């Protein structure tokens, strides 16, 4: 779809990131909710989303002072990849080593360990949903142990709040 193509190119634009992410996320939700009808669309959309991962990773690796000015864009990229991960939970459970799966998980791990709490909290529900899916597909669990170990280590510092925060 031309609209989706424009949205994928616009996620990193500060003025358009919110609308672009909304178009992508809503498309993913529609596809995920009706896999028999729209599974083919999802198969075409996910590789294109994975294709924008390098731009997202570059933003995630910015120093904190530069990342602060890109917070809205970072949050929108995180929303897109979180929704993508949620749509792929069944695929992750069945094919944890698939290239697109590993790319999405890698990016979500980086986002989950980001120094900005607003960014890092967005994918938290995804990890819960994924863990529930994996409980129903125990064969995938051994392949994903390193992913969850990294997640655990990166989330430990966020398990407490400084005394001056609520």
């Amino acid at each position: 779809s031309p609209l989706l193509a424009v949205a994928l190119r616009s996620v990193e634009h500060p003025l358009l990131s919110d609308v672009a992410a909304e178009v992508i996320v809503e498309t993913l939700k529609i596809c995920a909710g009706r896999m028999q009808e729209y599974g083919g669309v999802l198969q075409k959309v996910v590789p294109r989303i994975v294709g924008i991962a390098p731009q997202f990773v570059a933003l995630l690796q910015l120093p904190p002072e530069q990342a602060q000015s890109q917070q809205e864009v970072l949050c929108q990229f995180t929303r897109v990849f979180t929704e993508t991960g949620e749509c792929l939970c069944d695929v992750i459970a069945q094919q944890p080593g698939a290239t697109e799966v590993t790319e999405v998980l890698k990016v979500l791990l980086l986002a989950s360990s980001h120094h900005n709490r607003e960014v890092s909290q967005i994918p938290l529900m995804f990890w819960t949903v994924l863990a529930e899916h994996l409980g129903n597909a125990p064969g995938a669990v051994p392949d994903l142990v390193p992913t969850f170990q990294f997640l655990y280590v990166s989330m430990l510092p966020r398990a407490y709040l400084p005394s001056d925060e609520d």
Side-chain angles (χ1 to χ4, degrees):
S1 146
L3 178 61
L4 195 56
V6 170
L8 286 163
R9 286 192 308 270
S10 301
V11 175
E12 65 184 315
H13 190 283
L15 297 176
L16 301 174
S17 66
D18 185 42
V19 173
E22 196 64 32
V23 167
I24 298 165
V25 166
E26 289 305 315
T27 300
L28 290 168
K29 286 180 180 179
I30 291 168
C31 292
R34 301 165 90 179
M35 283 301 278
Q36 287 189 332
E37 294 174 60
Y38 296 113
V41 174
L42 195 60
Q43 288 176 341
K44 292 178 181 177
V45 171
V46 170
R48 295 181 74 185
I49 291 171
V50 169
I52 63 172
Q55 294 97 307
F56 184 29
V57 170
L59 288 170
L60 287 168
Q61 295 173 338
L62 288 173
E65 59 278 355
Q66 289 179 350
Q68 187 61 35
S69 68
Q70 296 292 321
Q71 180 174 328
E72 181 62 28
V73 173
L74 280 163
C75 286
Q76 299 311 326
F77 264 112
T78 306
R79 283 184 58 222
V80 167
F81 277 88
T82 299
E83 190 64 39
T84 303
E86 289 178 9
C87 288
L88 292 176
C89 279
D90 288 335
V91 176
I92 294 168
Q94 295 167 5
Q95 303 170 24
T99 302
E100 290 170 351
V101 165
T102 57
E103 286 301 311
V104 169
L105 291 177
K106 182 172 59 173
V107 170
L108 287 173
L109 282 171
L110 286 172
S112 298
S113 63
H114 195 264
H115 52 82
N116 183 307
R117 286 185 192 266
E118 279 193 51
V119 172
S120 66
Q121 72 185 7
I122 294 170
L124 290 180
M125 185 54 81
F126 159 74
W127 296 112
T128 302
V129 170
L130 178 60
E132 289 172 0
H133 270 77
L134 295 176
N136 298 324
V141 173
D143 292 336
L144 293 171
V145 166
T147 299
F148 279 94
Q149 286 174 332
F150 182 87
L151 179 66
Y152 175 75
V153 169
S154 68
M155 295 307 296
L156 267 177
R158 288 165 175 70
Y160 73 94
L161 286 175
S163 60
D164 62 339
E165 289 186 31
D166 290 335

